[in-house]
């Protein structure tokens, strides 16, 4: 685990929060875009305000636990806008009473049993990168306290099966840790969500996280071979299989369970040889609608690009990719077996047939000895902006700007209506609630039957009213998504934030079954109360 200090209130490393002069310079650039008053940087609260602990760890668990204010504060929130703004102002009122850090399954079982015996909520915690209030101890009445179960000590790559290309990995392994431990075997999981540096394998599985591939292997679901989850009723371990037709899949009970049915302790995941050959290109379109048509054909071509992200003109501008009003498609292919030149050439032929221009030409790279990559390009500009975006949100909070995202997925036949309704609803809400602002869109993933559009919205906040304004904007966006056939989340999970729309989206018989499973596996209802089912 890194010893570099992470921010108590914001995303990532504390030393990456810019000084006031750098933030003031950014404010001068952002203010005209939002059409509001000039923005002025503010400083985060000097120290977190936490309630006193309601319960203390028993002596038998003392070695695993901490009730230090710094640990409790660091495990209070995820990293969504609503989390950041409360933390920025020093409000850590939902803090857990203490943090437990198990070394193994026996430790997990001991903490779980103590919580059940003492009516204390238990909230599994990976990297703490949830943006949907998934790790917050907003547990309602009926509990004597709450414990955050930090899994990051359980981070080993336990076993590698090179013949089947699979690896058994503990749930607390972060992205960099598991990749570093697979590298000596010449293998990789190739699952790179934006939270990669801090999030964990168990968190990815619990939230059905979306990763690196824009097509084909889009979710962690596609990479899971079997799972191991400890429940209050015992161990739920599935068999390692490439596929099975034996009834409802037991792994599907674990994927997306969000810590409500048990604690994921490890999984066998499908790994692959590390890519040796890569190709990337950026294609410019005169408008977003034209790019959408090109991406639809690409998604249905069977080429399966590893990256196929379409940015509208605002998204392109905000990320420093273009400033001429173009929409940009960031396109890439990769392979461990062969150069993907033929696939890239066919993809560029498809985009050209829709009026797309690849002005810089495709770039080809090989990691074989004696070869070198061609650097730069719009694709590299977007990649850098993508990695730094969560840090930029920290700055926006300090400037008094509501800055957040939401994502969905729908079928191609519904996209135009959905997209239009979202833009109309969110722009109207920004004008009504914030007095101005902007909305941008990009495709993060695409499928033969539909895209996964991802929206960013920015608006000036009213000091002291940020939470209420943000929630009103989220409601406007979520209502538009729900009313026009989209899913409330493509890869950010449900948590507490999306729960009302998730309840509308799922069939009622499924909701009844899920409640019954919760009752069967977690009879005391201690696991992450209020998420997915309950309270």
């Amino acid at each position: 685990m890194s010893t570099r200090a992470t921010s108590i209130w914001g995303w990532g490393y504390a030393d990456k929060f810019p000084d006031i002069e750098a933030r003031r310079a950014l404010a001068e650039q952002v203010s005209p875009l939002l059409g509001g008053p000039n923005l002025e940087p503010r400083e985060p609260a000097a120290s977190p305000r936490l309630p006193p602990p309601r319960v203390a760890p028993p002596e038998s668990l003392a070695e695993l636990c901490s009730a230090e204010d710094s640990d409790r504060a660091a495990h209070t929130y995820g990293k969504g806008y609503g989390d950041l703004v409360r933390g920025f102002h020093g409000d850590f009122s939902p803090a857990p009473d203490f943090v437990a850090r198990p070394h193994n399954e026996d430790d997990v079982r001991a903490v779980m049993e103590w919580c059940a015996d003492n009516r204390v909520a238990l909230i599994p915690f990976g990297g703490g990168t949830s943006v949907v209030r998934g790790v917050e101890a907003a547990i309602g009445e009926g509990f004597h306290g709450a414990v955050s179960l930090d899994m990051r000590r359980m981070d080993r790559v336990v076993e590698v099966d090179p013949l089947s290309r699979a690896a058994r990995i503990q749930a607390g392994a972060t992205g960099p840790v598991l990749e570093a431990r697979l590298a000596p075997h010449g293998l990789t999981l190739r699952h790179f969500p934006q939270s990669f540096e801090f999030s964990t394998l168990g968190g990815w599985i619990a939230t059905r996280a979306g990763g690196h591939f824009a097509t084909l292997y889009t979710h962690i679901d596609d990479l899971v071979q079997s799972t191991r989850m400890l429940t209050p009723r015992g161990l739920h371990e599935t068999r390692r299989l490439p596929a099975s037709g034996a009834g409802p899949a037991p792994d599907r009970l674990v994927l997306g369970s969000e810590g409500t049915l048990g604690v994921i302790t490890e999984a066998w995941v499908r790994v692959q040889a590390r890519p040796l050959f890569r190709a990337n290109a950026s294609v410019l379109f005169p408008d977003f609608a034209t790019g959408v048509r090109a991406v639809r054909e690409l998604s249905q071509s069977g080429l399966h690009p590893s990256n196929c992200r379409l940015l509208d003109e605002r998204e392109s501008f905000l990320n420093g990719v273009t400033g001429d009003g173009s929409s940009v498609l960031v396109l890439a292919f990769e392979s461990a077996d062969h150069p993907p030149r033929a696939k890239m050439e066919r993809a560029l032929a498809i985009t050209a047939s829709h009026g797309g221009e690849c002005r810089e030409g495709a770039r080809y790279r090989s990691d074989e000895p004696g070869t070198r990559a061609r650097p730069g390009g719009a694709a590299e500009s977007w990649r850098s902006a993508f990695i730094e975006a969560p840090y930029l949100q920290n700055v926006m909070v300090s400037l008094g700007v509501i800055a957040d995202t939401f994502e969905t997925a729908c079928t191609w036949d519904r996209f135009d209506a959905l997209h239009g309704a979202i833009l109309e609803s969110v722009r109207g809400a920004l004008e009504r609630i914030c007095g101005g602002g902007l909305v941008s869109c990009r495709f993060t993933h695409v499928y033969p039957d539909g895209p996964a559009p991802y929206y960013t919205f920015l608006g000036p906040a009213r000091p002291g009213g940020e939470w209420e304004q943000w929630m009103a904007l989220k409601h406007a966006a979520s209502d538009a998504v729900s009313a026009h056939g989209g899913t409330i989340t493509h890869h950010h999970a449900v948590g507490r934030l999306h729960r009302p729309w998730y309840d509308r989206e799922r069939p009622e018989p499924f909701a009844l079954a899920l409640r019954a499973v919760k009752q069967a596996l977690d009879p005391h209802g201690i696991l992450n109360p209020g998420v997915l089912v309950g309270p």
Side-chain angles (χ1 to χ4, degrees):
M1 192 181 299
S2 172
T3 56
R4 187 177 175 188
T6 54
S7 173
I8 289 290
W9 67 269
W11 171 268
Y13 295 113
D15 58 20
K16 292 199 69 171
F17 187 58
D19 63 29
I20 192 166
E21 290 306 318
R23 287 183 283 135
R24 188 168 283 131
L26 183 63
E28 292 177 0
Q29 300 176 45
V30 173
S31 295
L33 295 176
L34 302 184
N38 291 333
L39 302 169
E40 187 62 34
R42 297 171 292 176
E43 296 303 317
S47 58
R49 300 186 303 276
L50 299 91
R54 294 161 291 184
V55 292
E59 187 175 338
S60 60
L61 300 176
E63 184 272 330
L64 307 176
C65 301
S66 169
E68 295 293 326
D69 281 355
S70 58
D71 281 325
R72 294 175 63 212
H75 291 76
T76 300
Y77 295 128
K79 299 302 179 186
Y81 173 82
D83 305 318
L84 268 58
V85 75
R86 286 180 290 173
F88 183 85
H89 291 299
D91 175 11
F92 288 81
S93 51
D97 297 285
F98 61 87
V99 177
R101 295 183 171 94
H103 296 276
N104 50 49
E105 281 187 355
D106 287 341
D107 291 344
V108 174
R109 185 178 291 105
V111 175
M112 187 181 292
E113 289 175 351
W114 181 85
C115 287
D117 290 344
N118 291 274
R119 194 59 183 160
V120 171
L122 183 64
I123 302 176
F125 189 99
T129 59
S130 170
V131 295
V132 293
R133 302 180 63 206
V135 296
E136 181 181 331
I139 55 175
E141 302 296 327
F143 295 93
H144 296 142
V147 174
S148 179
L149 187 74
D150 188 323
M151 296 294 291
R152 284 174 291 185
R153 283 178 174 171
M154 296 177 61
D155 67 350
R156 291 189 304 129
V157 173
V158 181
E159 190 175 350
V160 175
D161 173 4
L163 195 64
S164 307
R165 284 196 179 168
R168 178 184 164 206
I169 304 175
Q170 289 185 313
T174 63
V177 165
L178 67 84
E179 285 293 336
R181 292 173 182 173
L182 289 172
H185 301 274
L187 298 170
T188 174
L189 184 59
R190 293 302 282 158
H191 183 80
F192 298 124
Q194 193 174 41
S195 61
F196 170 80
E197 189 173 8
F198 303 102
S199 54
T200 63
L201 175 62
W204 299 344
I205 294 170
T207 61
R208 300 182 66 188
H212 166 76
F213 285 102
T215 68
L216 197 60
Y217 304 119
T218 60
H219 282 73
I220 194 67
D221 309 34
D222 304 313
L223 306 177
V224 169
Q225 190 182 70
S226 74
T227 52
R228 187 176 170 99
M229 179 175 75
L230 192 63
T231 82
R233 288 292 198 185
L235 183 64
H236 176 91
E237 184 173 21
T238 66
R239 182 172 295 191
R240 286 184 63 202
L241 294 167
S244 172
D251 282 316
R252 288 288 171 182
L253 199 61
V254 180
L255 287 155
S257 57
E258 300 193 30
T260 62
L261 304 179
V263 177
I264 300 164
T265 58
E266 63 181 50
W268 277 93
V269 290
R270 300 179 176 99
V271 294
Q272 56 188 287
R274 302 178 76 82
L276 294 175
F277 306 98
R278 295 177 175 85
N280 67 75
S282 54
V283 182
L284 277 65
F285 294 95
D287 54 64
F288 188 58
T290 304
V292 169
R293 291 191 290 271
V295 168
R296 183 175 68 244
E297 184 173 345
L298 268 174
S299 72
Q300 296 171 347
S301 68
L303 291 170
H304 302 308
S306 59
N307 200 354
C308 189
R309 287 175 166 84
L310 179 67
L311 287 63
D312 75 5
E313 65 278 8
R314 294 174 189 82
E315 191 80 15
S316 298
F317 176 76
L318 290 173
N319 286 279
V321 178
T322 65
D324 61 0
S326 300
S327 287
V328 179
L329 173 63
V330 181
L331 187 62
F333 292 89
E334 61 186 41
S335 173
D337 179 72
H338 57 274
R341 183 178 292 268
K343 286 191 171 186
M344 176 60 82
E345 290 175 351
R346 176 59 192 144
L348 292 178
I350 290 173
T351 58
S353 72
H354 290 271
E357 294 183 74
C358 182
R359 297 174 184 172
E360 300 167 336
R363 288 174 166 79
Y364 298 94
R365 168 185 167 187
S366 171
D367 289 345
E368 291 184 311
T371 60
R372 301 182 66 182
R374 290 176 60 192
E380 183 60 30
S381 298
W382 176 83
R383 180 180 180 276
S384 298
F386 176 77
I387 293 170
E388 293 299 316
Y391 287 104
L392 182 60
Q393 191 178 32
N394 292 352
V395 178
M396 291 298 180
V397 169
S398 80
L399 297 181
V401 175
I402 297 173
D404 202 8
T405 64
F406 62 96
E407 29 68 66
T408 184
C410 66
T411 51
W412 287 114
D413 64 305
R414 293 184 173 184
F415 174 69
D416 288 344
L418 176 105
H419 183 59
I422 287 173
L423 293 182
E424 180 181 5
S425 178
V426 178
R427 285 172 180 164
L430 282 166
E431 188 64 37
R432 185 175 65 257
I433 295 162
C434 300
L438 61 87
V439 189
S440 65
C441 178
R442 69 177 185 262
F443 287 173
T444 59
H445 303 77
V446 290
Y447 304 88
D449 49 348
Y454 188 107
Y455 295 87
T456 299
F457 61 90
L458 306 173
R462 182 178 64 254
E466 296 96 337
W467 173 272
E468 292 78 11
Q469 288 179 284
W470 167 69
M471 282 299 295
L473 292 168
K474 282 292 295 183
H475 273 261
S478 300
D479 285 345
V481 165
S482 181
H484 289 83
T487 176
I488 192 56
T489 178
H490 172 263
H491 61 263
H492 279 167
V494 176
R496 292 168 178 82
L497 183 60
H498 290 151
R499 176 68 190 278
W501 296 275
Y502 173 66
D503 284 356
R504 298 176 208 166
E505 182 175 325
R506 64 188 179 187
E508 184 54 30
F510 177 80
L512 291 171
L514 190 56
R515 293 184 196 110
V517 172
K518 170 76 170 175
Q519 176 61 33
L521 297 184
D522 179 23
H524 297 287
I526 60 166
L527 291 170
N528 215 3
V531 173
L532 296 183
V533 291

